[in-house]
Amino acid sequence: MNLYRKLLLAQAPLALALAIVGVVSVVVISFLGSHSQTILKDNYRSVLAAQRMKEAVERMDSAALFIVAGERQKGVEQAEKNRPIFEAELKVQEGNITEAGEKEFTEGLRQAWTDYQAKFDRLLKGATAEEARQLYFSELEGAFLRVKVSADEILAINQDAMVRKSDAVRRTAERMNTITLIVALIALVLGLFISTLLTRCMLQPPSALSEATHRIGEGNFDTRAHVRGSDELAQLARDFNAMAARLAEYRKSSLGELLQAHLSMQAAIDSLPDPVVIFAVGGELQNVNQAAQTLLGLSSETGAKEPLKGVDASVRNVLERMRSHVLSGKGAYHPRGFEDAVKLPTILGDRYFLPRAAPVYETRGVVVGATVILQDVTRLRRFEELKNDLVATVAHEFRTPLTSLRMAVHLCMEQVAGPLTDKQAELLHAAREDCDRLQAMVDDLLDLSRIESGRIELFPLPTAASTLIESAVEEHRAEAEEAGVKLSVDLPLPEVRVLADHERIGHVFSNLIGNALRYTPKEGAVRLSAQVSDHGVRFTVADTGKGIPREYQERIFEKFFRVPDSGPRGTGLGLYIAREIIIGHGGEIGVESEPGQGSTFWFTLRTAEQPAAKGDRR
Ligand code: ADP
């Protein structure tokens, strides 16, 4: 049965109740109607006949009086007119005997009437008025009164019956009213009850569907909507169940895939020899690999409150730093060099780890976690130390013979060992230049080894900014003239004092001005300046040279880095050493350069009045 028919069926009990009430009402009304008709048929006709007979007999009586009074003609006419009326009505009455005792009264009336007629006929035949008068008063009047009384008796019996029957009809009507009311009530209640029952039955499928939908929404994909039948709702439930089954299948397969992906990822990170730690966005541990568990003693089961509990203090600091760096939205963290490595004492000796961190993004690009990898650089560090040691030893060992060599070349050029030919002087000049370069290189390498071993010592003292610039210019004036480059200072210089190790800052200037002169063609210009800034004093060395390609601008401060095609001279250490010195002073260093337009190197130093910032390296 389809939904439309079911809806109709649900209304049917009410319609049936209405029909029952209607039928009962019709029956009651027709019953009452037939009762009234019975009264009319049975008694009213007799009442009418009795009254008409009474009237006719009275007219007959007055006709007799007319005859007695000598008006024979008039009396005879009136009697002739009323006699058949009486006869007809008596016949009607004789055919309509309905009440007990009425038959006897009617027979009595018939007799009285027959008697009255016989006497009336005798009156008609009477020859004189006197005879007529005697007959009337002696016989006819008495017969008339008997007829009238008999008619009255019939009238009374029928009127009584009418009153009785009308009372009975009224009582029946009242009873019928009550019955109709009760039937109507019962039909209505039953109709409503059955209608409600059917409607509830009909609403069962939608509520089953709604409940099943709710359960599926909660993730219970095994739920099904149980609806029997063949209507549209049952069809909908079948479609719904098919959809739920497909969803369950899909979830099973996607869960399986997810599980597989998770296992693969876990296997991948477990196979890494370096510790990997993944933090959730709230800072708690989300995952750690095997290496992190064995080397750092971490476990993702660790409580959310203190996820890094039990980890070595230095490693914990680094992990926390990485975590807050990434989770605060600063992006990935890349170590600057081995100096960022963190030491972890183990039973096999100290190990060094270089931290790297990267954010974990969800699909909309929001950071939802941080991955930290501690790269084990113990062996690389050992190599680095060995290399530094070697460089330091070689540089150190070079110094004494180099000094002797320079001295010997100098003495030869001074012709202490005898006069020189032009050719000899030229060769010695070239040798001296190479000795100077070698010396600069050895000095750089020694500085590098000092920096690497943390042995570089700075003695910052309040020094006028102008003094630093003027002595740097003075030192390079001759070199600039030789190179054909104009070396100038932007005036006025600020009259402030900065905290500077004069010799080391002189070294920084030396490097920046030396580079500027080296990479600026003849007729170019190198300008020095100093301005007071938020961070102290900002010194700049600007040239009009060839500039630095953008992709190398970040890297030129790295150790041993040289821009390709920078010429044969140089070690790539100058800017690295300058940066270390400036950082050691608590300042910053950088470059702004436009290839082909020149470069502007800048660094900052704190003024003598400024307090030292946290984390300065001295
Ligand atoms: P180097 O000993 O090679 O000069 P530095 O560390 O001093 O080493 O400089 C690194 C690189 O930066 C150089 O090889 C050079 O290519 C580039 N450089 C430095 N200063 C300048 C400058 N003023 N103009 C153009 N390039 C420069």
Side-chain angles (χ1 to χ4, degrees):
M1 198 188 287
N2 66 12
L3 202 58
Y4 172 73
R5 288 203 180 129
K6 279 192 175 173
L7 278 171
L8 280 184
L9 186 71
Q11 312 300 323
L14 275 178
L16 195 68
L18 214 67
I20 289 171
V21 172
V23 169
V24 169
S25 304
V26 168
V27 168
V28 167
I29 290 166
S30 61
F31 177 78
L32 291 176
S34 69
H35 255 63
S36 319
Q37 245 174 11
T38 311
I39 298 169
L40 282 179
K41 197 174 88 200
D42 292 356
N43 303 106
Y44 181 68
R45 190 68 194 89
S46 295
V47 168
L48 206 65
Q51 273 176 346
R52 282 185 186 160
M53 282 189 285
K54 265 174 78 183
E55 214 173 294
V57 82
E58 274 166 7
R59 292 259 167 111
M60 289 280 284
D61 185 52
S62 59
L65 286 176
F66 280 138
I67 294 170
V68 171
E71 292 287 334
R72 172 171 281 272
Q73 187 58 36
K74 203 173 171 187
V76 170
E77 273 174 16
Q78 189 160 320
E80 289 304 310
K81 204 171 159 196
N82 285 289
R83 192 193 295 253
I85 293 175
F86 191 101
E87 193 58 41
E89 291 302 323
L90 183 58
K91 280 214 174 91
V92 168
Q93 170 56 30
E94 281 169 344
N96 190 34
I97 291 167
T98 52
E99 302 304 319
E102 194 179 358
K103 193 169 182 253
E104 288 73 29
F105 286 130
T106 309
E107 281 168 5
L109 179 63
R110 168 60 73 184
Q111 274 175 17
W113 170 246
T114 311
D115 178 46
Y116 180 74
Q117 277 191 107
K119 289 182 171 140
F120 196 88
D121 287 341
R122 274 169 53 206
L123 182 76
L124 286 179
K125 283 176 195 154
T128 62
E130 186 51 32
E131 282 171 5
R133 199 182 61 83
Q134 273 182 5
L135 185 64
Y136 178 80
F137 286 109
S138 63
E139 292 184 36
L140 196 59
E141 189 182 17
F144 161 69
L145 287 175
R146 277 195 297 279
V147 170
K148 207 176 157 197
V149 166
S150 294
D152 272 339
E153 278 168 342
I154 289 170
L155 185 67
I157 199 172
N158 276 291
Q159 274 175 340
D160 287 351
M162 274 178 92
V163 171
R164 209 174 53 248
K165 283 183 183 174
S166 132
D167 275 357
V169 167
R170 187 174 46 74
R171 278 198 300 281
T172 310
E174 277 171 11
R175 226 176 21 254
M176 287 297 178
N177 267 351
T178 316
I179 289 170
T180 312
L181 205 67
I182 289 169
V183 167
L185 268 177
I186 291 172
L188 207 69
V189 168
L190 270 176
L192 266 177
F193 176 72
I194 296 171
S195 264
T196 313
L197 217 66
L198 285 175
T199 310
R200 189 171 290 173
C201 279
M202 275 179 54
L203 287 179
Q204 186 269 333
S207 54
L209 273 168
S210 152
E211 198 174 323
T213 312
H214 185 71
R215 291 234 185 96
I216 285 181
E218 284 173 346
N220 185 356
F221 287 89
D222 294 330
T223 306
R224 297 287 177 273
H226 299 290
V227 177
R228 275 193 300 270
S230 59
D231 63 2
E232 292 86 339
L233 285 173
Q235 183 57 41
L236 180 65
R238 276 196 289 281
D239 291 347
F240 177 88
N241 289 342
M243 181 197 75
R246 275 199 292 279
L247 271 179
E249 252 171 53
Y250 173 75
R251 195 166 96 133
K252 260 186 214 140
S253 65
S254 54
L255 258 183
E257 278 167 21
L258 264 178
L259 203 65
Q260 190 58 44
H262 176 76
L263 289 175
S264 309
M265 190 200 79
Q266 191 64 44
I269 67 165
D270 277 346
S271 69
L272 290 176
D274 296 328
V276 177
V277 182
I278 301 172
F279 291 102
V281 71
E284 62 273 17
L285 276 186
Q286 199 172 55
N287 203 352
V288 293
N289 70 347
Q290 204 61 48
Q293 292 182 24
T294 43
L295 287 171
L296 310 180
L298 275 174
S299 151
S300 45
E301 282 1 17
T302 326
K305 271 190 183 166
E306 289 178 88
L308 302 176
K309 197 177 165 193
V311 180
D312 180 81
S314 51
V315 175
R316 188 169 62 226
N317 283 345
V318 167
L319 286 174
E320 278 169 356
R321 194 152 47 84
M322 298 294 109
R323 181 178 65 186
S324 50
H325 176 95
V326 172
L327 293 183
S328 62
K330 289 183 188 158
Y333 177 88
H334 300 290
R336 282 181 302 162
F338 282 118
E339 64 267 31
D340 276 354
V342 56
K343 189 166 86 174
L344 180 71
T346 67
I347 43 167
L348 296 171
D350 290 348
R351 303 191 74 155
Y352 291 87
F353 293 99
L354 206 54
R356 287 171 198 283
V360 180
Y361 295 106
E362 52 106 93
T363 42
R364 282 169 299 163
V366 178
V367 177
V368 290
T371 306
V372 182
I373 300 178
L374 296 176
Q375 186 189 356
D376 189 346
V377 290
T378 314
R379 284 165 68 84
L380 287 173
R381 222 187 117 92
R382 294 242 192 288
F383 282 133
E384 181 82 359
E385 276 171 7
L386 277 177
K387 189 193 78 188
N388 286 347
D389 287 352
L390 183 70
V391 166
T393 314
V394 169
H396 205 267
E397 292 303 317
F398 264 39
R399 249 164 68 138
T400 323
L402 194 58
T403 314
S404 312
L405 197 62
R406 286 179 76 200
M407 182 62 78
V409 171
H410 178 71
L411 289 175
C412 283
M413 283 193 75
E414 292 298 315
Q415 304 199 3
V416 175
L420 296 173
T421 62
D422 286 350
K423 189 71 187 166
Q424 285 169 336
E426 196 183 320
L427 286 173
L428 280 172
H429 185 75
R432 191 176 68 178
E433 273 194 352
D434 282 347
C435 277
D436 286 349
R437 270 175 46 201
L438 206 54
Q439 182 67 51
M441 215 181 277
V442 166
D443 286 347
D444 277 355
L445 288 174
L446 280 173
D447 276 345
L448 174 70
S449 76
R450 277 194 210 105
I451 289 168
E452 302 282 86
S453 60
R455 279 187 288 118
I456 191 162
E457 283 186 331
L458 298 173
F459 299 102
L461 292 171
T463 316
S466 54
T467 312
L468 289 174
I469 287 197
E470 279 155 11
S471 51
V473 169
E474 207 49 53
E475 206 178 308
H476 289 86
R477 195 174 296 284
E479 196 186 334
E481 272 170 23
E482 202 179 312
V485 174
K486 190 180 167 211
L487 180 62
S488 62
V489 178
D490 282 355
L491 295 173
L493 290 169
E495 291 185 2
V496 282
R497 292 191 308 162
V498 290
L499 280 177
D501 181 323
H502 196 156
E503 195 192 327
R504 295 288 178 189
I505 295 297
H507 192 87
V508 173
F509 267 120
S510 219
N511 185 271
L512 297 183
I513 299 172
N515 279 347
L517 293 175
R518 199 185 314 162
Y519 297 113
T520 304
K522 270 192 174 38
E523 308 296 320
V526 175
R527 281 175 26 241
L528 274 68
S529 66
Q531 293 102 31
V532 177
S533 75
D534 291 348
H535 305 287
V537 176
R538 182 181 157 106
F539 295 90
T540 52
V541 177
D543 64 52
T544 56
K546 62 177 187 171
I548 304 161
R550 221 168 287 280
E551 66 268 29
Y552 299 125
Q553 289 179 11
E554 275 281 306
R555 300 194 58 198
I556 54 173
F557 294 96
E558 287 174 15
K559 202 188 312 180
F560 294 116
F561 182 82
R562 305 193 69 226
V563 175
D565 304 328
S566 300
R569 293 169 62 188
T571 54
L573 281 173
L575 286 177
Y576 172 74
I577 293 168
R579 187 187 77 155
E580 289 301 309
I581 292 171
I582 295 301
I583 289 174
H585 276 80
E588 287 175 42
I589 187 166
V591 66
E592 285 149 18
S593 178
E594 198 58 48
Q597 311 251 318
S599 316
T600 300
F601 282 86
W602 59 266
F603 65 87
T604 58
L605 289 177
R606 290 202 310 272
T607 53
E609 291 75 34
Q610 268 183 319
K614 253 183 156 181
D616 285 356
R617 287 193 272 148
R618 291 263 169 99

